Amino acid sequence: MRIPLKAAAHTLTALALAAFGTTTLAAGAEAQPAPAAAHFGAKPLHPGTTTKSPTATSGNTLSVRSSATQGVVSPTPKVYLVFWGSQWSSDPAGVAPDMQNMFKGLYGSQDTWGTILSQYCEGVAKGTTTCGTKGTHVQHPASSPLAGVWFDNAAATPANATAAQIAAEAGKAAAHFGNTTQAPNLNAQYVVVSPTGTHPDGFPNSGFCAWHDKTSSSYGNLAYTNLPYIPDTGAGACTTFTDGRLLSGIESTETHEYAETVTDFWPSIGWNGGGGEIGDECQNLDAYVTLSTGTFDLQGLWSNSANKCVTHG
């Protein structure tokens, strides 16, 4: 879902960068992505009364916005966690191990949450709401979708990183992990996690928990997420649980962004409905799900097959 207030500023940034043209990088050089004009799937820090209810309405149904065979969904999701900056020497809430453990367990028969995603596909007619046996479906992972972890600690993260700097970090991550052509980046999502005490793209005053987007680079289009250090806002933000658990908000937020990236990979040619993407529809529904690596707060997702928000497939 777009953030309208940011669109104008980010459009100007994109146009300014476009004026320099597209360059080809020399061997070993890092990609320099150009940020998109707006961002998607922004989960609000404190959901308001307009948040969609878990009950079905005709406007909630997701439909695919393109008949393309690439960039609509991520058929075999691969997550790359990028812990950005030397400030990760301090991680008071234990975000880094928590995010790794969550994705290490998000597969197989224990992960009944991720099975919601397998009904969505690419390579079908624009406007499709039910894939059936057609198209290329999202596959439920048989092993951990966590494909790589990088602590990029060569320098400090900016205290107030811009959207362009976050996009550039995703490009650096693609180079670091050796994903230097479009092919591996058709399933890779780069989660840029900022350290405690920083304010990426104005967090938390911008009112979001996180957002995801795509950026162009010499390695092809890249899907990435801006994930702030949500525990800095205290317990209760970005989750429907009120039990005081500090990590619930960032777990709920990242599963929101993960699912939206999987089903709207290069937004917004993927699956969208009247309330936005698969996670936007269901911001008022969380569940604790026990995986092989622990118990985590996973946000509810919209299921066309169930015609409602659900927390298991």
Side-chain angles (χ1 to χ4, degrees), residues 177-195:
F177 290 113
N179 296 334
T180 55
T181 64
Q182 184 65 87
N185 287 312
L186 290 174
N187 283 289
Q189 55 176 281
Y190 301 97
V191 182
V192 180
V193 195
S194 292

Side-chain angles (χ1 to χ4, degrees), residues 204-227:
N205 292 336
S206 296
F208 61 77
C209 302
W211 47 255
H212 75 99
D213 214 326
K214 71 169 182 178
T215 185
S216 60
S217 80
S218 294
Y219 311 142
N221 288 332
L222 307 178
Y224 73 103
T225 295
N226 169 30
L227 184 61

Side-chain angles (χ1 to χ4, degrees), residues 8-47:
H10 291 155
T11 299
L12 290 173
T13 302
L15 289 173
L17 291 171
F20 289 97
T22 302
T23 58
T24 302
L25 297 183
E30 293 171 349
Q32 296 298 321
H39 304 296
F40 297 81
K43 183 174 182 177
L45 193 65
H46 298 288

